[in-house]
Amino acid sequence: MKPPLQPVNPATLEPLEIAEQATDAQIDEAVSEATRAMRTGWPRDHRLRAQSLNAWADLLSDHSSELADDLVRETGKPIGEARKEIAGAIDSLRFNAGLARLPLGRAAGLPDGSEAHLVREPVGPTVFITPWNWPVLLLLRDLAPAFAAGATALVKPAPQTTHITRRVIALGHRAGVPPEVLHVLPGDAEVGAELVAHPDTRAVAITGSTEAGQAVMRAAAATMTRPLLELGGKASMLVLADADLESAVEAAARAAVITSGQMCMACTRMLVHARHAKDAEKLLRERLSALTPGDPRDESTDLGPLISEAAVTKVLNAVDRAREDGRVLVGGQQVHPDGLRGHFLTPALVSELDPRSPVVQEDIFGPLLSLEVFDSDENAVELANATPFGLAAAVWTRDLTRGFAVARELQSGTVWLNGYNHSYAEMPSGGVRMSGMGRTRGIEGVEQFTELKHVHFPVGL
C-alpha cells in the first residue's frame, strides 16, 4: 500500500488536503480505458476535440479566481503570477482548439507515377508528468496539443499540486472530454515510472529536473515509449557592449525571482561586457535588494517562499560556496516576512566565480543570480555555452543584426533579443543537451503527439 501524499502550504507550513496514491489496479484500469478510447470517435472527431478544448478554456476563465487562489496555497507563488499562469493555460487551450481542425500530413506523386501519402496519426495513450511550480500551464501546454492530435491522457501530477490538478481535470470532463480519454493518477515517482513502463502507454511528456528526465528515459527504454522532455536550465542573459544596461538589469532581476527562481527558464546568469561591469554590479545590487519576499496573497509581493526546506538548503549551500570561491554581493538570507513560517529567501547576487564553479554549472533552482564578465562577443558565447544546459538565453544589444548573429551561436532552444520570458502558444519551445528533447507549443507541439505513417499506392499502373 502506497502511503498517502501530504502536501503543505509552503508559505505557512500548514498541511493541505491529503491525496491517496493511485494503486496498481487503478493504473492498469486507467491505461486500459485510455487504450480503448483510441478506438472510439475521440481520435477522429476533430470538431468534438475543438469544442471540448474551447469549452474547457471557458470554464477555466469562469473559475480563474479560485484557481489562482489554489495556486498560491499549493505553490507559494505570488497572486499576480498565479493569475498569469491561469491566463496562459486558457490561451493554450484556445490556440490548440483551432489546431484540432487542422489537417495534418501531405501527399505527393512519385517518379514512377505512384502516390505517397504521409499520414499523421495520434500517438496513443500518453503519460503527462507535471511539476509543482507551474502545474496548470505546463499541464495544458502539453495536454492541449496532444488532444488536438487525438491522443488520450494519463496525468501524474506532482504530489504538491494534486488538488489543483484534479480541479482542472474535472473542469475538462465538464467541458466534454470523455472520462476514459483523460485520467489523473496521483502519486510519487514510483507511480510515474509504472505509467511510463506500462506496455500500453506510447508516449510520455515530462517537465521537471534533468535527473527526473533521465529516470523517465530509463523507464521508457523497456517499451520504447516516446519521450518529450523539458528539463533543467541555466539560462544566461548576455548584455553586449552597446546594450541598454538599465533595461537589461530590470529584466534580469525580475526573471531571476520568477517563482522565487524555481523555474527552468529563470535567469540565473547575467553576462556583461567589461565596460558595464561596475555599473551592472551597482544596479543589480539596488534592484535585487528592492525585490523582497512576502506573503504570496499580497498584490505587492515580489517573490514568495521556496517550496521546501530542502530547496532552501540547496540555495544556501550554493551561497556559501559562492562566498568561498568568489563574492556574495547581496541577499541569500533566510527570512520570515509577515510572521510567516515558510521557506523564504532574499534574492542573492554573486560574482567573481570561475565558470567551472558548481554555482555556475548546476541548476540551483532558487533566487540566485551570478554576475559574470566578458570582453568580446565570442567570449560571451563561449561562457554562455559552457554549462551542460540549453533551454533559454537572452541577448541585449542595440544592433539587432549583431544580436541575431550571437543568438545563432548560442546552444539553446529559445533565445530572446532585448527581452525575457516571452512565450507564446504559437511558437515551439524546448531544450537541447541536458535541458531535454522534443518541442511543445505551436504546430510542432501537435506533431510531437503523432506518428508519421507512409501509405503508398499505385495510380494507373
Side-chain angles (χ1 to χ4, degrees), residues 368-386:
L368 188 152
L369 179 63
S370 172
L371 177 61
E372 303 168 50
V373 179
F374 61 84
D375 54 20
S376 67
D377 291 2
E378 293 75 17
N379 182 212
V381 169
E382 181 182 10
L383 286 171
N385 288 339

Side-chain angles (χ1 to χ4, degrees), residues 317-366:
N317 287 342
V319 171
D320 288 342
R321 181 64 182 264
R323 189 175 287 112
E324 293 173 5
D325 297 347
R327 297 168 63 205
V328 177
L329 302 175
V330 71
Q333 290 99 25
Q334 194 163 7
V335 294
H336 295 284
D338 305 308
L340 296 169
R341 298 170 54 221
H343 311 293
F344 295 85
L345 287 178
T346 57
L349 176 65
V350 303
S351 70
E352 298 183 14
L353 292 171
D354 188 291
R356 295 166 294 184
S357 167
V359 181
V360 175
Q361 290 292 318
E362 296 176 4
D363 185 6
I364 306 299
F365 219 59

Side-chain angles (χ1 to χ4, degrees), residues 63-209:
H63 294 270
S64 59
S65 180
E66 59 260 41
L67 289 172
D69 289 342
D70 281 347
L71 278 174
V72 172
R73 278 191 297 273
E74 295 180 45
T75 70
K77 64 175 53 189
I79 184 63
E81 183 179 310
R83 293 192 190 105
K84 290 179 181 177
E85 176 170 352
I86 301 301
I90 292 169
D91 184 57
S92 181
L93 287 167
R94 296 208 189 283
F95 175 75
N96 285 283
L99 290 187
R101 301 287 299 273
L102 179 69
L104 298 175
R106 69 180 193 268
L110 297 174
D112 62 358
S114 62
E115 287 286 323
H117 283 217
L118 296 180
V119 181
R120 285 199 174 271
E121 300 175 339
V123 67
T126 300
V127 180
F128 295 86
I129 300 176
T130 58
W132 60 264
N133 57 347
W134 286 70
V136 180
L137 176 58
L138 296 181
L139 168 63
L140 295 180
R141 178 202 64 182
D142 292 350
L143 187 62
F147 278 1
T152 56
L154 303 136
V155 178
K156 205 295 288 182
Q160 178 68 22
T161 48
T162 297
H163 172 68
I164 191 167
T165 305
R166 282 189 182 279
R167 286 199 66 181
V168 169
I169 287 177
L171 292 176
H173 291 150
R174 280 179 54 188
V177 180
E180 63 271 19
V181 166
L182 175 58
H183 303 262
V184 58
L185 296 154
D188 55 19
E190 181 183 343
V191 171
E194 288 180 43
L195 285 165
V196 173
H198 197 287
D200 292 330
T201 57
R202 302 311 312 140
V204 54
I206 176 175
T207 304
S209 68

